[in-house]
Amino acid sequence: MTAELTRGQNHPLPRARLEIRVSAGTPVVVGATLGDENGEVHDVERVAHPGTPTLPGLEVSRQAAADHRLAVDLDAVPDAVHRVSVLLALPVGGQGPARFGAVAAPFVAVTGLDGEEVASYTLTGLEAESAVVALELYRRQGAWKVRAVGQGYAGGLAELFADQKLPEAHRLAGDIQDAVARGLARSVPAPSPRTPDGDRSRPATASAHDPGAAAVQGATGGVPPTPQTDPQGPSARQTPAAPGQHATPQSYPATTEPSAATGGGPIDYSHPRRQHGAPPPPAAPPTAPGQPAAPVAGDATGWSMEERLYNQVWGMFEDLARTTAAYRSAVDFADSRMEKEFDQVLSDPRNRIGGQGDAARDAARARHEQLVTQAGEALDRDVAQLAAEAEVVEPALPAAYARWDSPVWHAYRVPMEIPMAVRLGDLHLSEADRIRIPMLVRLPLERGLWIDSGRAASLDGSYTDPHETRRLGLETAVAHAARLLAVYPAGEFTVHVVDPAGSGTQPLAPLVQSGVLDAPPALGAAGTADVLARLTQRVDLVQMALRGGAPDALPPGLDTSQQLLIVNEFPHGFDDRAVNQLRYLADEGPAVGVHLMLVADREDSAGYGPLLDPLWRSLLRLTPVADDHLADPWVGHAWTYEPSLVPPGSQVLRQVLDQVAAARRSWPR
């Protein structure tokens, strides 16, 4: 899981070979310094910059650019180095901005070589600074960690280097700027500027995608934003707002545009990770002057169209979360302001009787209505842009990301590679009910799934029949399992089913009749024990091989593909030993390719007491009907989840499973 850092926070680094990806709204210079345990840099040979881009274990870009990738190998860093500081600076002497307060907040992410994000940091709150230490990789008791620093310097690189006790700091700063100036003619251009009306969509005349553009994975975390009038002061994740303005989450880039609440223009809700310079497809219709540019599928950074679409979907999720948070924050502020004004009116005895008090209350209500109306207009504008973007993104999604009713499934072929992620449903918020954001989960799965078949209330307040909910729960599990089988290459994903009571015959029919299962569903306590014993043994063997440094020494004939165990109506048919084995698979299985999908009502296992609490916490809870149970810890939203189900009467599931089964039969074992 990605750690979204705030200033001063740290996070352990799980590996030595890393990439540091930088995304900014304008060309910036990126460098790094190698310091001792006190952070001091002893000579210029310990500074990587465009003039000297390579040091032991470190390589930076050779020019100013809006997007950067830095290669880091911490095992190759000299033993005397205890801190690797990543710095950003604005080029001097050109026509670009002279301070970070005039550009969008830079975004920095630490990723593995596979692109998986480890930690990220958005550098907000910068004003007059022209150079900043963004991140610091530091060694502590033999282990490496990353810390979000965000220390800016109005004096530029010279002041930054001097603070790190570097000799000849001013001369080196001048040499770096000279090297950058020589390369500005070939520097990577910044994203196109925003249109005067504040449109967050992408210009139709932008330059082509750079195939080496950086890609990042979106994530959320933190606390919900609050208005500036909060008695505890501005939130650590928001920028101060004048009375009547939206409180803007700090994760958004800083903007020099005036707020919509003051009548000077809309708020900038764009996210620093999302690229603004992607070109539209050749058939994209031109836009009229002054109109927002047409949205484009794949308008995000990434090595491939799949990665760009994945990042674009995450960007849409974050944009919707933030614009809704700003709307709710503004409404809360308007409510609290009106209540405060009412209290002030009532506190004066002269206003309790007569027309003066009524006039004051009417004025307070009018101001409240004006603030709420302005907030609603800003929300409607952003929702309309997101809806237009969703309309072009949804048809462009590959099979792993697409709904079951997408035409892409009619041209389905068994893939040769594992995709980045898989779609497990849709997410939406009540303020923007028409927008459905695909819920994409990275592969391989990092945790098991729990399809909650308990008594559920629908969104209209009615309750679903318990027997119907259990059937829908297993049908949802079958749809998820079929999608996982479809997105993995032939022979690389195996599904096991445990149905102790035999009650899932009809919902399981697509898996059984297509032949994608290695064995029929296990029935009764004996069948359950046999499947659990085999999967537990597989986890033990793979763990021993990995810990012993001999992953190739597994027994011949051991199935090394990813394994998925579907358990229906847990805990029926489970004794204490089987329950312990299931908990073991949930905890240890994902790391070695054994995954769990539990179809269960938690109330059925109430007799176990708190023994199973860790099991439920370890699984991602999904529901067979729409339910607003997925919490966003940063903005405090309760997202409504809708499962990805096959349309009634559609044969797409059977057709896809038939192709998967045929590919499995032809795959050598």
Side-chain angles (χ1 to χ4, degrees):
M1 183 177 180
T2 304
E4 187 169 328
L5 304 178
T6 58
R7 185 173 181 177
Q9 284 186 326
N10 60 59
H11 187 73
L13 295 175
R15 56 187 67 92
R17 300 187 65 188
L18 303 163
E19 282 189 345
I20 299 176
R21 303 181 179 187
V22 178
S23 179
T26 187
V28 296
V29 182
V30 174
T33 60
L34 304 180
D36 59 17
E37 58 272 12
N38 297 319
E40 298 182 2
V41 182
H42 297 289
D43 55 63
V44 296
E45 295 180 354
R46 291 197 174 187
V47 181
H49 56 83
T52 307
T54 303
L55 293 179
L58 185 65
E59 183 174 1
V60 303
S61 303
R62 298 174 180 269
Q63 59 195 36
D67 294 288
H68 291 266
R69 287 173 180 258
L70 284 69
V72 179
D73 184 356
L74 296 174
D75 288 339
V77 171
D79 294 338
V81 173
H82 290 262
R83 296 189 188 182
V84 179
S85 300
V86 178
L87 56 93
L88 314 179
L90 294 170
V92 299
Q95 299 180 352
R99 59 188 184 89
F100 277 109
V103 300
F107 173 80
V108 185
V110 180
T111 73
L113 298 184
D114 58 355
E116 182 177 359
E117 196 171 296
V118 177
S120 63
Y121 175 43
T122 303
L123 286 80
T124 55
L126 299 176
E127 291 295 339
E129 298 87 344
S130 60
V132 59
V133 177
L135 294 177
E136 179 181 79
L137 312 182
Y138 65 98
R139 197 197 312 253
R140 180 68 54 82
Q141 296 179 349
W144 285 91
K145 294 184 178 182
V146 58
R147 178 187 290 118
V149 180
Q151 177 63 52
Y153 297 87
L157 286 174
E159 184 181 355
L160 187 154
F161 290 146
D163 189 44
Q164 295 185 347
K165 304 299 188 292
L166 177 68
E168 304 182 25
H170 287 78
R171 183 184 65 81
L172 178 59
D175 292 344
I176 293 175
Q177 295 294 356
D178 289 343
V180 172
R182 291 193 298 269
L184 279 179
R186 54 187 176 86
S187 65
V188 180
S192 301
R194 292 168 54 85
T195 56
D197 62 350
D199 172 40
R200 59 170 286 283
S201 59
R202 291 71 171 168
T205 58
S207 59
H209 262 299
D210 179 1
V216 296
Q217 176 185 357
T220 57
V223 295
T226 55
Q228 189 187 13
T229 54
D230 187 333
Q232 296 181 357
S235 167
R237 286 185 173 267
Q238 69 177 50
T239 55
Q245 292 180 327
H246 297 296
T248 306
Q250 192 179 8
S251 295
Y252 269 101
T255 175
T256 58
E257 298 177 290
S259 168
T262 59
I267 300 174
D268 180 7
Y269 292 124
S270 62
H271 193 270
R273 300 181 220 201
R274 305 188 63 190
Q275 178 170 311
H276 294 257
T287 56
Q291 295 295 321
V296 180
D299 187 8
T301 55
W303 289 98
S304 63
M305 177 57 74
E306 179 195 9
E307 188 175 8
R308 293 199 293 269
L309 287 169
Y310 175 85
N311 290 329
Q312 186 173 14
V313 168
W314 265 109
M316 293 167 60
F317 171 85
E318 295 183 341
D319 285 352
L320 181 58
R322 286 167 170 80
T323 191
T324 304
Y327 169 76
R328 293 180 180 179
S329 178
V331 171
D332 289 343
F333 170 76
D335 291 342
S336 62
R337 175 174 173 174
M338 183 176 65
E339 292 177 1
K340 182 178 179 180
E341 291 177 347
F342 282 173
D343 292 340
Q344 291 175 346
V345 171
L346 295 175
S347 64
D348 189 347
R350 294 171 297 178
N351 295 331
R352 297 175 185 173
I353 302 175
Q356 186 174 359
D358 293 338
R361 282 188 287 269
D362 291 341
R365 293 190 185 96
R367 285 190 290 269
H368 174 273
E369 183 178 355
Q370 180 185 13
L371 292 177
V372 173
T373 300
Q374 291 174 344
E377 291 174 352
L379 175 68
D380 292 342
R381 181 191 68 246
D382 292 323
V383 167
Q385 293 177 5
L386 281 170
E389 187 172 12
E391 289 178 358
V392 299
V393 169
E394 186 68 47
L397 296 177
Y401 302 172
R403 295 194 299 252
W404 281 112
D405 59 357
S406 172
V408 72
W409 287 107
H410 297 291
Y412 168 77
R413 294 293 182 271
V414 178
M416 300 298 293
E417 296 181 352
I418 301 173
M420 288 182 59
V422 66
R423 185 176 189 158
L424 295 182
D426 295 330
L427 301 173
H428 67 91
L429 295 170
S430 57
E431 288 85 353
D433 190 64
R434 57 176 170 155
I435 299 178
R436 296 297 189 270
I437 305 294
M439 179 180 172
L440 303 182
V441 178
R442 290 295 294 263
L443 292 178
L445 297 174
E446 297 180 354
R447 58 192 300 197
L449 305 177
W450 166 29
I451 313 299
D452 189 355
S453 60
R455 185 170 180 263
S458 60
L459 295 179
D460 60 4
S462 62
Y463 283 88
T464 307
D465 178 73
H467 298 288
E468 179 70 9
T469 305
R470 293 176 187 271
R471 182 186 63 81
L472 289 175
L474 190 53
E475 288 183 353
T476 302
V478 169
H480 292 330
R483 183 181 290 269
L484 288 167
L485 283 164
V487 302
Y488 271 84
E492 294 193 18
F493 198 84
T494 303
V495 176
H496 309 270
V497 178
V498 169
D499 185 21
S503 60
T505 302
Q506 182 177 354
L508 290 171
L511 297 178
V512 176
Q513 295 175 5
S514 62
V516 295
L517 300 179
D518 278 357
L523 303 176
T528 300
D530 178 65
V531 173
L532 292 175
R534 286 189 283 110
L535 291 178
T536 301
Q537 183 185 38
R538 183 190 184 279
V539 171
D540 291 338
L541 290 173
V542 176
Q543 281 186 339
M544 287 189 293
L546 293 176
R547 291 170 180 171
D552 298 331
L554 292 169
L558 181 71
D559 186 2
T560 58
S561 66
Q562 297 282 310
Q563 310 284 311
L564 175 68
L565 172 61
I566 302 176
V567 178
N568 185 35
E569 292 196 357
F570 174 81
H572 183 84
F574 280 72
D575 55 19
D576 291 344
R577 175 181 174 84
V579 169
N580 288 330
Q581 288 177 320
L582 193 70
R583 287 185 54 188
Y584 176 73
L585 292 178
D587 293 338
E588 304 294 336
V592 293
V594 177
H595 311 284
L596 182 63
M597 186 182 295
L598 205 61
V599 183
D601 179 359
R602 188 169 183 174
E603 293 183 0
D604 292 342
S605 60
Y608 287 93
L611 176 66
L612 292 182
D613 287 350
L615 173 64
W616 304 118
R617 288 196 296 266
S618 68
L619 304 175
L620 173 62
R621 177 177 175 249
L622 304 176
T623 55
V625 296
D627 188 70
D628 56 351
H629 69 280
L630 289 179
D632 188 334
W634 174 58
V635 291
H637 297 330
W639 289 83
T640 298
Y641 166 80
E642 293 181 1
S644 179
L645 300 177
V646 181
S650 175
Q651 297 298 315
V652 64
L653 184 65
R654 181 60 59 86
Q655 295 170 2
V656 169
L657 290 178
D658 287 343
Q659 290 197 43
V660 172
R664 287 172 60 86
R665 287 192 294 269
S666 62
W667 187 259
R669 288 181 176 266

